[in-house]
Amino acid sequence: MKIKSVEIYGYGQFVQRKVEFNQHITQIFGENEAGKSTLQAFIHSILFGFPTKKENEPRLEPRMGNQYGGRVTLILDDHTEVDVERVKGSAQGDVKVYLPNGAIKDENWLKEHLNFINKRTYQDIFSFNVLGLQDIHKHMSETQLQNFLMQAGALGSTEFIGMRDLINKKKQNLYKKSGQQPEINRKVAELKDLELQIREASTQVESYQRLVETRDKSAGRLEAVKENLDHLTTFFEEKQKEMALHEQVQEWKALESDLNVEPITFPEQGIDRYEAAKLQTQQLARDIGLREEKYKQLQAENEKLTVPSAEVIDKVEAIAKQEDDVKQQARELHQVERDIEHVSREIEGLKSNIGWETVYEDVDASEVQKSYVSDVLKSKRENAHGLQQYRNMLDEHVIEHQAHETELEQLNARLVSDETFEQKKVYEKRSLELNEKRNLFVKMKEAFEIEQQQKQKRQNMLRILFVVMALISAGVAAYAFVSSAVLYGSIFAVLACLFIIAVFVVKTKEVGHNERFAEEITQLESEVKALEDAYDLNFELSDQYQLRDQIEQRQQNLAISAKKQQRLQQQLEAAEAQHEEDNNKVNAIRQDLHLSAKMSDELLVDAVQTIQSIKEQHARLSQLEANRSALNDKLTAFYDEAIQQLASQISNVDCVSLFHDVREWLKQTQSDAMRYQHNDEQLQLLDNEVKHLNTRLSDNRNVIQQLFDFIGALDEESYYKHHDRYQTYEQSLARFNDLTHFLKNQDYGYEKSSKLSEKTTAQLEAEHQKLEAQIDDYNERYLTLQSEVSDLTAQINHMETDNTLRHLKHQYQIVRSQLNELAEDWAALSYLEALVDAHIKQIKDKRLPQVVQEATTIYETLTNGEYVQVTYENEQVMVRHKDGQMYHPVELSQSTKELLYFALRISLIKVLKPYYSLPIIIDDAFVHFDALRKKRMMAFLKSMPDNYQILYFTCNQDSTLPAKQSVTLQKLEK
C-alpha cells in the first residue's frame, strides 16, 4: 500500500491543500512551523482516526470554521486506487472509502485492508524520528538496552516488555513468599489474629444463659403484682367517678320532684308571630294613606298636559326623516365645489409642468404614443451604452496591445541566440554522456580487476600443472633411458620440453579497457571544455524553451489583438450612426407634443402621461359643473315646501334652523304624550295597590286575635305573662333531660343514680381514702420487682448488644473474601504473565532469526563493512567486527548504536512486509548524522526496492534527490 496524494479540507494550519507523493521516496522539505508534523498527524488521523480525549495528542481542528478532515488517495498492492475520506462526525470522525467501481465502504473495510493495525503500532514500527534514536543515548543498563533493541527488531513496540514488567510488579505488590507488606501476606496475618479473638469471645455465652433464667422468674412475680394493682386501680377510679358525679345526681333528683306537675303550652313562635303581625298592621295603614295622596297628585298633573293630533305629528316626522338625505345633498354640493376647485388647480399645475399655456386637444397622448416614445428612448439609451462600451473596449485593447508589445520586447531581450541554444543542447548531451561514462568506467574497472585476478589465478594453476607434468615426463623419460626404452624415453623427453615451454608461453591477455575509456572520457571533457570556452552557456535549457513558448504565444496574442481592435472600430462607427438617428426621432417627438427642446429625454414619457392626465381632468371638470347645477335645484325645491307646511306649528322657520326646530318640537310633543300615558298607568296601579293593602290589613288583625284565643289572653299584657311562665317550665325540663342523658353516658341508669343520691359526701370520702392506701402498698411492691427485672434485663441487653463476637465473625468473612479475590487476581496475573512470555518466546523463535539475518546485511551496508554480522544468542544481541571481535551494544559508540537500531527496525519492516505493506515515515531522524553517514543512509533508502514507499520529512533539504521526488512546504504567515 502506498500513498499517492493527500487533500486537506481543514487540519491545523492547512486549509484546502493538496500534496502529491512519489511512489518510492519523497522528500518533504520545510522550515520549522511549515507544517511537516501537521502533515504527518493528518496522515495518521485519516488512516486511523482523529485523536480522542483519551489520547495525549492535539486534534488540530481549523480555527476559521473550515471543514475538519480531508482525503488520502491510496494505491493498494493490486495497483487499485482508492480514496479514503474522513471528516468531523463521531469521536474519531466519519469515514468513507471510495472504490474505483463507485462503491463506498466504511471504516471496517479500511481496518481490514490495514490488517487491523492501530496507530500506536504503526508509529512504533513504520515511523522514525530523532527522539526514537536519542532514546538509545539514555543511561540504560545492559539489560535495558538489550530489551530496547529486541523491541525494535522483534516486537516492534515496548508494549509486550512493558506489560511483562508491569505484571511482575503487580504480582510482587500482591504476594511475596517471605514478605510482610504485600496485600496477601497482610490479609493472612489478619485472619490468624481474628481467629484468636473469636475463641476468647465465645466463653461469655454461658453467663448469659444464667441471667436469662433469673430474669424470667422475677418477671412472673412482677406480672402477678401488676394484675392485683390493676384491679385496685379500677375500683379507685370508680370511686373517684362517684365523687365527681355526686353533685349532678343530687340536682337531677331535685328537678325530678319539681317537674311532677301539668305541662304548660304556648303557640309555636308565639311572640315572634304576634310582634310581626302587629308591625305589619301599622305599616299597612301608613302605606294606604301615602298611596291615596299620590293618586290625587297624578290626576291634577294630567289635567295640565295637551297632546297634538296624530296627523300633525306624522307630517312633521315626515319632514324630519328627510334630514339625512337633504344634508347628504348639501355635503355632495360642497364636495363638488371643492372638486371643481381642486381639478382646476391640478390642470394648471400639469400645464405648468410641461410648459403649456393652453390645452391642445389635437395632441395624441394614447398608450400607443406612450409606448412609441418609450421604445425610442430605450433604443437611444441602449445604443448610447453600447457606444460607450465599444469605446472602452477599444481603449482596453489598445492598452493590452501595447502591453503585449512591451512584454514581447522584454522576452526577446532575455532570449539567447539560436546557435548558442543549439550548442547548449549539445553541451547538456555531452555532459550527461560524460557522467554516465565516468560511472560506467568505475563499475567496469572494478569488474575487470576482479576478472583479471581470476584469470591470474587460473594462469598460476595452469603453470603449476605444466611444471608437475614436465617433472613427471622427465622422470619417466629418464627411467625409459635407464631401462633401454629409447623410444619411450624420447617421447616423454619431448613432452617434458613442451610442458616447460608452455609454462613460459601461458600468459593472461590484458584488455586495454582503461586506455579506451580514458581516451573517450578525455575526448568528452575536451569537447565540454571547448563549448564552455566558446559560448556563454550559463543558462537553463528549460528556461529558454519556456521563453520561446512565451514569445510564440505573445506573437499570436498580438495578431489576435489587432484583429479584435479592427472589428471594434467598425462596430463603433455603426453605433455612432444609430445614435444620431435616435436623436432625430426624439426631436420630432418633442415638436409633435408641443414641448420645449430643453426638456430632457428621461421626462418625455412622463410628459406624454401628463398630457393624458390634462385631458382626463378637463373632461372631469365639465362633469362636476353639471352635477353642481342639479344639486342646487333639488335643495331649493325641498326648503320651499317644508317652510310652507310648518308655518302653522312653528313660528320663524328658516332654511338654516329648519331641522333643529323640527327635532325640538317632536321631542317636546313626544315627552308630553309619554308623560300623560305614564300618569294614567300610575293611577290604575295605585287603585289596585290600595285594594290589596286593605285585604292584607284585615288578615293581620285576624292572626293577632287567633294568638290571643290559643292561650285565653284578653290583651297584650296577659299574653306576655303567660309566655314567661312557659319559658321557666321549658328550661327546667331541658336541664333534667340533659342531666339524665349525661348520667346515662357515664353508665349511671335511674336505679344507680337514685342509689348514689342517697349517699352523703362523708361516706364517699372515707371509702376513697381506704382504696388509696391499698394502691400505695401495691405500688411499692411493684416498683421493687420492676427495678430488679430492669437490672437483669440491662445486663442481658448489654451482653446481647455486645456485637463483638458477631462483628469478629463478620470481619473474618470479609477478610477471607478479600483474600480470595486477591488470590484470584494473583492467579490471573500469573496466567497473563505466562501468555506474554509465550508470545515473546514465539516471536523470538520465529521472527527474530529472520530479522537478525536481514539486519546483518543492512548493518554491514550502513557501517561500510566495519561490522559484518548481527547475532542473537542467549537472549543477547551482539555484533561482529570485521576483525572477528564480538561487541555488546553497550560497548558501541552512540552513532553505531543508532545505526544498529535503524538496521533492526528496517529489517523488521521487511520481515513484516507480507502482512503490513505500509509507507515508511522518517521525521528528521538523521539530523545529528554527519554528512558522510547521512549520504550513506540516503543512498541505502534510495536503493530499497520500489515496492517500499518512504516519506522523508526534513528541514535540511537533500540535493541528491531530484525535484520530482521533493515537496516543499512554505511557512504560512500568521
Side-chain angles (χ1 to χ4, degrees), residues 462-475 477 491-507:
L462 188 57
R463 286 179 177 174
I464 294 171
L465 180 61
F466 285 158
V467 170
V468 172
M469 293 300 294
L471 292 175
I472 293 173
S473 299
I491 294 172
F492 282 104
V494 172
L495 288 173
C497 294
L498 292 175
F499 284 136
I500 292 172
I501 294 171
V503 170
F504 297 100
V505 172
V506 175
K507 292 184 180 179

Side-chain angles (χ1 to χ4, degrees), residues 45-100:
S45 297
I46 296 301
L47 294 180
F48 303 104
F50 297 132
T52 60
K53 294 181 179 180
K54 297 180 180 180
E55 301 178 41
N56 190 19
E57 294 183 24
R59 285 178 62 85
L60 299 177
E61 295 190 25
R63 298 183 177 225
M64 303 305 294
N66 299 87
Q67 186 180 13
Y68 179 45
R71 177 185 295 230
V72 173
T73 301
L74 301 176
I75 301 177
L76 304 181
D77 294 339
D78 58 357
H79 304 290
T80 302
E81 291 189 11
V82 297
D83 291 332
V84 180
E85 182 184 54
R86 190 184 296 268
V87 295
K88 186 175 182 180
S90 60
Q92 290 190 330
D94 295 336
V95 178
K96 291 183 179 179
V97 182
Y98 299 92
L99 303 184

Side-chain angles (χ1 to χ4, degrees), residues 170 223 345 610 721 825 873 910:
K170 288 186 175 181
E223 189 65 25
R345 285 198 305 271
T610 303
K721 287 181 179 179
D825 293 341
E873 295 179 358
K910 288 188 174 183

Side-chain angles (χ1 to χ4, degrees), residues 346-362:
E346 189 172 353
I347 291 173
E348 292 299 325
L350 294 172
K351 287 162 59 179
S352 175
N353 289 340
I354 62 176
W356 277 14
E357 295 180 358
T358 184
V359 178
Y360 297 97
E361 296 292 342
D362 58 341

